[in-house]
Amino acid sequence: MAQLPQPFFDALAVRTWCGLALETLGRAREEIDAINVYPVADGDTGTNLYLTVESAVAAVEAVFAGHAAGSEAAVGPGAASPGEPTLADAARAMAHGALIGARGNSGTILAQLLRGMAQVLADDAAAHADGQGLRLALRHAADSARRAVAHPVEGTVLTVASAAADAAEGAEGDCGTVARAAYDGARTALAATPGQLPVLERAGVVDAGGRGLVAVLAALVETFTGERARGVVESACKGPSGDPHARVEPAAGTAPVDGVPGECADDGAVPGQNGPAFEVIYLLEAEDAAVERLRERLDAIGDSLVVVGGDGLWNVHVHVDDAGAAVEAGIEAGRPHRIRITHFGSGDVHTTGAERPPRERAQRAVVAVVPGEGLAGLYTEAGATTVLARPGEPPASGELVQALRRAHAREVVLLPNDADLRHTAAAAAEQVRTEGVRVALIPTRSAVQGIAALAVHEPDRRFDEDVVSMTSAAGATRYAEVTVAERQSWTMAGICQAGDVLGLIDGDVAVIGSDVAVTAETVLDRMLSAGGEMVTLVLGDDVPDTVAEHLEGRVREGYLAVDTVVYRGGRQGALLLIGVE
């Protein structure tokens, strides 16, 4: 469907651009993955860029949704929203979403590019930016991304970003004119990357990260003109002339890829390339001075070092042989979290010897989204593959797809454990089904329902019978949570104020109180009034053990033959999760 062009760079333009960039990367993802040969040929650049932008989209959409909810609360239910988020709000959300969701080397650099643009766009109090503002944003983005990389290499996404900024600086006119100039400059630079980086020339491809940035800039052109940029879906196997049909001849003395010069390479097409064994990525809460020390330490033990972010929150990416040392360096600098360690493995990335025999798939597995580290440990002990959902950071569909693949089973049961994830989970399940995996989505709306489902899981049973049993157990479990209101709002139980303790039963606010233990006891009494045999309590980090002891005592005294089990959930968002079976 054609998009209405945006005359200025305002909040709606940010939203439109992010959405179009996600669509464009979605179409180009497999192509970009296929040409990924630098810095390591792990075939995931397109996927990483897609996941990074998907996180940015989610953050921008959350700002628009939060503004709409706040407006309705201020003027009453059913009233029209008086406006939209500011450009600064939307730009900061885009940058933050990309930062916390950045994947891989190129995704981390893209996150810094978006952050650099946001710093310029959010610095002005104006409601929108014009062509001059866009020129400045693109320049600052390219420069800040280059500074974030420990050892910049030409012929990469950094080169393409700089070329886009250079071309934009020479353009006079509105945002559409500037965006088109940046896109054209990026395309020209992308076509020249094989001549700058020998590994690309040998493989007969352009830089994968640069190709992804061209797709993002194509979405920017479409945002401001309403027209799809020319050439955006053409082949990424092209020569320096920019001709999509031109081949890149191998450098003198090198062998052609798969015996055919200029053919697109797969993820094992770069011979003789050696490097570190692990990719380490984590978010880091740390002060600027500590991050500078961290850069020096990681640069000494690894390569492909990219550190992006600021204002106390950073995304760290490095390739190392000692993954533990990279994480320990982060611990010394501040508080690392969302740590992801990927083992490149011999024979699949850095070397091109005989392929290892594929690992045999398990017959059945369970994949579950969990809201805290404590529950992640519980689910893992029960045999599930887990996806951690931190407060305000729900997993994107790409993360669920990766988890479903990581389970490496012929049959997979997916437990989203959140009503808001039902569409995301359904999309992930459908994608993996096309790969020949049988996926059953059980619509669990809380982690306590997932615990009940996992308790009756029997992998030796027929798949359909197992799914029915797990679905029945989840459906028979009522769920509740105790949390703190962030703002004044209308609820089913009346008007709450910021700081009130809320008790939600089956997703609706049922109790408004001021004390966690008293509110939780009221919620528990209401749930047990309809009967029950088992109570599950999952405590967050901020809830003392005395609350659990109080509730356990209440169950013992008031409800005979009802058992209680208590778990620690970690940083799970809600103060307390309650399940009654």
Side-chain angles (χ1 to χ4, degrees):
M1 181 181 295
Q3 296 286 334
L4 292 176
Q6 303 298 319
F8 299 105
F9 212 146
D10 58 8
L12 184 58
V14 172
R15 186 186 200 183
T16 302
W17 179 33
C18 288
L20 288 173
L22 188 65
E23 292 178 10
T24 307
L25 286 171
R27 291 192 297 269
R29 181 182 61 80
E30 291 184 0
E31 173 202 334
I32 297 172
D33 282 347
I35 63 169
N36 174 201
V37 298
Y38 183 86
V40 289
D42 46 356
D44 62 357
T45 292
T47 299
N48 287 336
L49 290 170
Y50 181 88
L51 292 174
T52 302
V53 173
E54 187 176 47
S55 183
V57 168
V60 173
E61 290 300 324
V63 165
F64 273 82
H67 179 86
S71 299
E72 183 173 307
V75 300
S81 173
E84 293 177 340
T86 65
L87 170 60
D89 291 337
R92 290 191 186 106
M94 171 186 70
H96 180 73
L99 177 68
I100 65 175
R103 297 289 192 278
N105 189 68
S106 294
T108 308
I109 293 173
L110 177 61
Q112 186 66 10
L113 287 168
L114 296 180
R115 177 179 171 81
M117 291 190 69
Q119 287 175 323
V120 173
L121 297 173
D123 191 47
D124 196 335
H128 61 259
D130 56 11
Q132 172 65 10
L134 179 56
R135 284 194 293 272
L136 293 174
L138 289 167
R139 179 79 274 160
H140 185 65
D143 293 345
S144 62
R146 189 170 286 269
R147 288 193 298 269
V149 178
H151 301 285
V153 175
E154 297 306 326
T156 66
V157 62
L158 297 176
T159 305
V160 177
S162 294
D166 292 343
E169 287 179 336
E172 297 293 335
D174 59 11
C175 287
T177 301
V178 174
R180 192 176 294 280
Y183 169 71
D184 288 340
R187 283 187 70 218
T188 300
L190 176 66
T193 54
Q196 297 172 295
L197 203 55
V199 66
L200 301 179
E201 187 175 31
R202 287 196 300 268
V205 297
V206 295
D207 179 65
R211 171 66 180 87
L213 180 58
V214 168
V216 172
L217 291 173
L220 189 65
V221 173
E222 188 172 353
T223 297
F224 293 119
T225 67
E227 301 173 0
R228 183 171 295 182
R230 67 184 184 279
V232 68
V233 294
E234 61 191 29
S235 171
C237 296
K238 61 177 68 174
S241 67
D243 179 1
H245 303 293
R247 287 178 172 176
V248 179
E249 296 299 330
T254 62
V257 177
D258 292 337
V260 182
E263 288 297 314
C264 279
D266 62 18
D267 62 357
V270 184
Q273 199 176 25
N274 296 303
F278 297 95
E279 178 185 60
V280 178
I281 306 175
Y282 49 79
L283 290 179
L284 178 70
E285 296 175 15
E287 299 298 325
D288 290 4
V291 171
E292 284 306 311
R293 293 192 296 271
L294 174 66
R295 289 180 195 269
E296 294 177 3
R297 180 168 177 184
L298 292 180
D299 191 32
I301 65 173
D303 60 29
S304 296
L305 173 61
V306 185
V307 181
V308 305
D311 302 321
L313 181 63
W314 308 82
N315 191 307
V316 179
H317 169 281
V318 67
H319 294 172
V320 292
D321 280 320
D322 189 345
V327 176
E328 288 172 4
I331 294 172
E332 291 181 7
R335 188 179 76 85
H337 54 99
R338 296 190 74 169
I339 300 168
R340 293 187 298 275
I341 299 174
T342 302
H343 181 218
F344 292 129
S346 64
D348 56 358
V349 174
H350 297 294
T351 61
T352 58
E355 293 187 3
R356 293 175 296 174
R359 179 165 59 95
E360 181 68 22
R361 285 185 180 272
Q363 181 58 35
R364 189 173 308 160
V366 176
V367 172
V369 180
V370 291
E373 295 89 342
L375 280 177
L378 174 67
Y379 273 76
T380 301
E381 288 176 6
T385 297
T386 60
V387 179
L388 191 61
R390 295 187 179 276
E393 301 175 13
S397 62
E399 291 180 81
L400 298 186
V401 168
Q402 289 186 332
L404 290 167
R405 290 170 177 162
R406 193 168 68 247
H408 203 64
R410 299 182 183 89
E411 302 167 339
V412 183
V413 178
L414 176 58
L415 306 174
N417 292 337
D418 186 340
D420 292 336
L421 284 178
R422 61 188 184 278
H423 297 308
T424 301
E430 187 59 35
Q431 180 173 339
V432 175
R433 287 186 189 114
T434 65
E435 300 170 8
V437 179
R438 193 177 183 189
V439 182
L441 171 61
I442 297 179
T444 49
R445 294 169 290 176
S446 170
V448 291
Q449 288 190 324
I451 291 173
L454 203 54
V456 300
H457 169 55
E458 293 185 15
D460 294 332
R461 219 169 14 198
R462 288 181 58 249
F463 186 60
D464 291 339
E465 293 176 356
D466 197 27
V467 171
V468 168
S469 178
M470 295 176 71
T471 303
S472 177
T477 302
R478 300 189 68 196
Y479 65 98
E481 67 177 77
V482 177
T483 189
V484 176
E486 296 181 354
R487 63 178 71 88
Q488 183 189 60
S489 183
W490 295 74
T491 75
M492 297 289 289
I495 300 176
C496 71
Q497 305 296 328
D500 283 348
V501 179
L502 306 180
L504 291 80
I505 300 177
D506 294 336
D508 293 322
V509 176
V511 181
I512 300 175
S514 58
D515 181 83
V516 173
V518 174
T519 302
E521 180 180 338
T522 304
V523 168
L524 192 54
D525 283 339
R526 292 195 184 184
M527 297 178 74
L528 287 172
S529 66
E533 299 176 355
M534 170 72 76
V535 171
T536 300
L537 304 175
V538 184
L539 279 66
D541 273 349
D542 298 329
V543 179
D545 291 334
T546 53
V547 172
E549 294 167 1
H550 174 77
L551 296 176
E552 286 183 287
R554 173 61 183 153
V555 172
R556 280 196 305 270
E557 295 171 5
Y559 303 94
L560 299 177
V562 177
D563 296 323
T564 304
V565 59
V566 180
Y567 302 109
R568 274 286 176 183
R571 297 188 299 274
Q572 61 185 22
L575 297 173
L576 177 67
L577 300 178
I578 303 174
V580 174
E581 301 175 48

